[in-house]
Amino acid sequence: YEDQTFNGTDHDILLRVQYNVDAGQRFYGIGPDTPRSAEANYKEEFLQIRAGWGTPLVEGSAWRAHITEHLQGEKLGNGPLADLPGFSATYPSFAPEHRQQTNEVRLTVDYDTRDRATTTSQGAFVQFYREHSVRGLASAYDYNHNGFDGRYFWRWNTGLKTVTAANAKFDQLLGSAPFWLMPRLGGKYSLRAYGEGRYIDRSAASANVEQRFTVYATKMGGVTTEFELAPFAGLGTVADHPGRMSARYTRPVIGGAVRAVARPQVVGSVDFGVGQEGLAVFMDINYSF
């Protein structure tokens, strides 16, 4: 449940309860140079409760502050994919014997001037966040997460509708936490030539830029659907801490996406990305950023 104008005010609230089982997860080890041959399959099962509240920092401004409470119980086991090694046998030191519980409190400050949150065509979004978990306070781990997410969208005033979109992210973990809570790169929403969670470590940084061209538009069922082509490029890396990030382990990505957009809130996308390990394809709803 999400309400951006709770009880007619300019406060927003969020409540999410979710049970999820994902048997397609992969793990390659920790670090920026883990080989593809180290891939193992694991099954992730979790139950989470997330609740949040937000308010403007200054009335009528684009700045907002949020506080979020996140409670999650996590269980990992061997995945079912027969052509991949079992997780517990391959990485016994990373495989917990029992369900692990975490309790995180997250503070964020957002700046948002986007015209639409889902189908953005112009504006900017910047978020700074700090997340804290205390061992013994409904959590098995003691750590901090710090980082930011910045996005900028420029709509060109030309005959062909086109938007330049850019994104930069940084995430740093301090303290003791298992690998599934560490910063990671890979997947549709970070580095689109690598599978989700391909690279994991205590620090992660990435940047992406794409040019979105609307090549055709038609009205179907009273809704205008726009078809887009979007060439993109990006890069990213992980490390134990920012001072150890190296150009040697920076992973480049180039590719393109084909999308159908029904504004203000529906995006269907197929993304094709090429990196140092070949081609990856992602089919999903929503933009990557």
Side-chain angles (χ1 to χ4, degrees), residues 218-242:
T218 185
K219 200 164 188 176
M220 297 183 295
V223 177
T224 299
T225 301
E226 300 175 352
F227 294 89
E228 289 185 353
L229 296 178
F232 61 79
L235 51 85
T237 189
V238 300
D240 182 64
H241 58 81

Side-chain angles (χ1 to χ4, degrees), residues 20-43:
N20 187 70
V21 178
D22 186 347
Q25 294 283 359
R26 305 323 206 266
F27 183 64
Y28 301 80
I30 294 176
D33 58 346
T34 53
R36 194 174 185 179
S37 59
E39 180 180 13
N41 170 226
Y42 70 92
K43 181 176 73 173

Side-chain angles (χ1 to χ4, degrees), residues 137 147 276:
L137 189 62
Q276 293 174 331

Side-chain angles (χ1 to χ4, degrees), residues 185-281:
L185 288 181
K188 173 181 169 63
Y189 299 99
S190 63
L191 215 55
R192 284 172 278 179
Y194 304 90
E196 185 176 350
R198 175 61 183 88
Y199 294 103
I200 300 174
D201 214 324
R202 292 179 175 273
S203 297
S206 63
N208 293 274
V209 62
E210 66 180 40
Q211 193 73 23
R212 301 171 181 172
F213 297 96
T214 300
V215 296
Y216 181 70
T218 185
K219 200 164 188 176
M220 297 183 295
V223 177
T224 299
T225 301
E226 300 175 352
F227 294 89
E228 289 185 353
L229 296 178
F232 61 79
L235 51 85
T237 189
V238 300
D240 182 64
H241 58 81
R244 299 194 65 181
M245 288 184 176
S246 169
R248 176 184 178 185
Y249 298 121
T250 298
R251 310 297 174 178
V253 172
I254 60 170
V258 180
R259 300 181 177 125
V261 183
R263 303 185 190 279
Q265 59 187 14
V266 178
V267 179
S269 181
V270 182
D271 296 64
F272 304 85
V274 178
Q276 293 174 331
E277 296 180 346
L279 173 68
V281 181

